[in-house]
Amino acid sequence: MNETDLAFTPALELAQLIRHREVSPLELVEIYLQRIELLNPELGSYFTVTAELASADAKAKTELLTTTSELPPFFGVPISIKDLNAVAGVPCTYGNPALLNNIPEFDDGVVTRIKQAGFTILGKTATSELGSFPYTEPTGFVPARNPWNLEYTPGGSSGGAAAAVAAGLCAIAQGSDGGGSIRGPAACCGVVGIKPARGRVSKAPVGDRLAGISTNGPIARTVADAAALLDAMSGYVTGDPYWLPDPEPSFLTAAQTPPTQLRIAFATDIPPLGEADANCQQGVLTTVKLLEQLGHHIEQKSLDLSGLVEPFQIVWQSGVAGSGLPPEILQPVNRWLLARTGTVADYIQAVYKMQIVARQIVAFFDNIDVLVLPVYLHSPIRVGEWAALSPEDTFQQIINWVAPCPLANATGQPAIALPAGFDRNGLPISVQLIGRPAAEATLISLAAQIEAANPWNKDRPAFAVFS
């Protein structure tokens, strides 16, 4: 197997190659670091590359291979961490250059679990400032680009993570999703992204500031990889405000188990925000046709989110104020969002209204197992496409684009984004599956069935393939 093939090999397979001593952790890290050095200046997928730390960790693990056979599941597999999450001793910028010297002294809980699973961290991936935007072009950094077509965005706010996975600059990635920030980039870059159920992944050692709408989750090239990383990330930590029991069996087992016949609804529009464009509709309709051929019961349904739009916006944009950063160092849109932040009473009322609508959305699932939606309402935008717009107009464009995503954040339900082909610009087409509360296993099992019927892991961006 050549170095390019190794770089695009699924993380679970890499873990087995390491266990069987067919490749060493150090060899893998060197391959990925070389690819990052060559491709990242143009791709912009990493803010910080921890080459020395990664090499030292991989060297120690390579030496440990000679003395023990008891290894954690992802021993020596290279991973990236989104630059909204703390890694001890590594800058955490939150997409703001004023924070380049912000060096945490602790690991976020999800990073601790990732380390315990045996991963080697390659660096911190690019994010939009404070994770606010569905594109990744923060001031002071090289904009992140889509490896399938460099003129276009990889999405956001986990845009760097998805671009890195799609371009073979890490085996797998950690991301986070407060309004589509895992699913959108996964869709733009043609990879798999899981937004877990609320309480599945701990936010330790910090708390939750946004009424439970945001969570960490995996981005990967295969459903099995994403499921296994979710297994590694999951679990209650003392003091968590939300929690779920550990899955039985594991999510990886779910990826290896065909689903029973499911009741599946689908829609291609999001009232009151509009209809998906032709590419996004194609992802839904192609997937629905396949699911019907696989024996599932399919019906078209409409889900009106009119009551969710305003309260969700208020809760989501309060994250800018919650950051504590002064307005003078923020990008214009975040500065505008900060200026329009209301009172504490406004926030509490918005949470109250959002939770009422969330109950109605969850009730919609009483008679269905899975809802199939577009991830976004239109295809990826070009890098810089909205740069000349006013903050208010930019915000409205964002709302209209990401409309299918926030409902799962408001309810806490799990969702997964999957590849579904390519458009005429060479950009991935995608689809989103939303499941019942805490039903990641059902989604993962169904997603793996779709993947088996229409494999996508052999597709590689021409930009990222070289000898």
Side-chain angles (χ1 to χ4, degrees), residues 39-62:
L39 300 181
N40 195 63
E42 192 168 5
L43 192 64
S45 58
Y46 283 86
F47 284 163
T48 302
V49 180
T50 54
E52 291 185 8
L53 291 173
S55 296
D57 183 63
K59 183 178 180 181
K61 285 173 175 166
T62 298

Side-chain angles (χ1 to χ4, degrees), residues 80-166:
S80 62
I81 304 296
K82 183 177 177 180
D83 205 22
L84 294 183
N85 290 88
V87 177
V90 179
C92 190
T93 72
Y94 303 96
N96 188 301
L99 299 177
L100 283 169
N101 293 320
N102 176 43
I103 313 294
E105 296 180 354
F106 65 92
D107 290 332
D108 274 353
V110 68
V111 174
T112 297
R113 289 190 181 274
I114 283 169
K115 288 182 176 180
Q116 290 170 344
F119 287 104
T120 293
I121 295 172
L122 293 169
K124 305 292 291 295
T125 51
T127 176
S128 56
E129 186 182 68
L130 303 180
S132 295
F133 313 125
Y135 48 88
T136 306
E137 304 167 26
T139 302
F141 297 91
V142 174
R145 296 180 180 273
N146 195 313
W148 295 97
N149 187 328
L150 295 174
E151 294 183 9
Y152 290 84
T153 183
S157 61
S158 305
V165 171

